Amino acid sequence: NMMKGMKSFLHPLTGLLKEPELRRLRLLETECILAPRGCLFDFGTPIERIFLISLGSVRLESRSAFRTNVVYSFKKRGDFLGVFSYLSDSAAHIARAVAIENVKVLSYEKKAFFELVDEIPVLEREVRRQISNSFLELQSDRSLSRESVSRRLASVLLALLGRSEEHTSELQSHLN
């Protein structure tokens, strides 16, 4: 069993949504399991489903100018994938999502999910917050491509450490 050893947790949005809202969301979801290095979606494919990471983590890869894959972000439990299509119905994936470890993802048909988002204000705020954060990550990815390898590595490490102030100052002191 691929998920052996992975603990069962509450729904990733349990603390955000009230129970009736959570029940409505659960009615729309299907579960998807990915093995390490499994691809959830690829560059340029139309966004037809919205994904919510329930267990595990994935990396998002973009294509560099040299047509190689570059990791620009990591997504974890509670993160949505595919929500850019909230802004444009014809949106396509601008990245490849690859499982880092065994991953359990909740999948939603796009139209039904966004109808629910429009009816639940707290869910809409969360989706918009994650879209905003994704735009910032993309912007950071573009500027990182012009930085030295050590600075790019430090930026990735800072993101992984949650950018807590103590870790940030420690890493920045090593760069200077």
Side-chain angles (χ1 to χ4, degrees):
N1 181 356
M2 194 181 310
M3 296 306 287
K4 186 177 181 181
M6 292 185 78
K7 295 179 181 174
S8 177
F9 291 98
L10 295 173
H11 193 282
L13 299 180
T14 297
L16 181 70
L17 301 177
K18 296 175 182 167
E19 192 55 39
E21 298 165 334
L22 203 50
R23 273 195 302 275
R24 289 178 65 197
L25 185 63
R26 283 188 174 125
L27 291 173
L28 302 177
E29 65 194 32
T30 56
E31 195 174 281
C32 174
I33 306 295
L34 287 174
R37 295 182 300 285
C39 184
L40 185 60
F41 53 79
D42 209 346
F43 307 102
T45 56
I47 300 174
E48 296 172 348
R49 300 198 65 79
I50 305 303
F51 301 102
L52 175 62
I53 299 174
S54 181
L55 293 172
S57 56
V58 300
R59 68 179 180 262
L60 295 181
E61 301 174 346
S62 64
R63 288 231 169 102
S64 73
F66 304 106
R67 301 185 68 70
T68 57
N69 297 341
V70 177
V71 175
Y72 77 88
S73 182
F74 296 92
K75 298 296 180 181
K76 63 190 180 331
R77 177 177 165 76
D79 287 339
F80 286 105
L81 300 167
V83 288
F84 275 124
S85 61
Y86 190 61
L87 305 176
S88 168
D89 191 48
S90 62
H93 291 288
I94 58 173
R96 170 183 291 148
V98 180
I100 297 171
E101 56 194 329
N102 289 329
V103 176
K104 176 176 153 183
V105 178
L106 305 175
S107 173
Y108 307 92
E109 188 277 323
K110 179 174 70 173
K111 185 176 185 284
F113 178 79
F114 287 135
E115 285 173 359
L116 192 60
V117 165
D118 288 339
E119 294 172 19
I120 303 174
V122 69
L123 184 57
E124 181 183 23
R125 281 191 299 276
E126 179 62 15
V127 165
R128 288 185 181 277
R129 185 189 69 75
Q130 289 196 26
I131 290 170
S132 176
N133 287 345
S134 293
F135 273 123
L136 292 173
E137 287 172 352
L138 283 172
Q139 183 180 22
S140 175
D141 177 47
R142 302 282 188 264
S143 65
L144 284 177
S145 65
R146 294 185 285 276
E147 291 183 357
S148 69
V149 173
S150 62
R151 289 207 178 273
R152 285 193 307 240
L153 179 59
S155 294
V156 169
L157 290 173
L158 289 172
L160 287 173
L161 294 172
R163 298 186 179 164
S164 66
E165 288 185 19
E166 64 185 41
H167 295 297
T168 302
S169 60
E170 279 181 39
L171 285 172
Q172 286 178 340
S173 68
H174 290 295
L175 282 176
N176 298 330

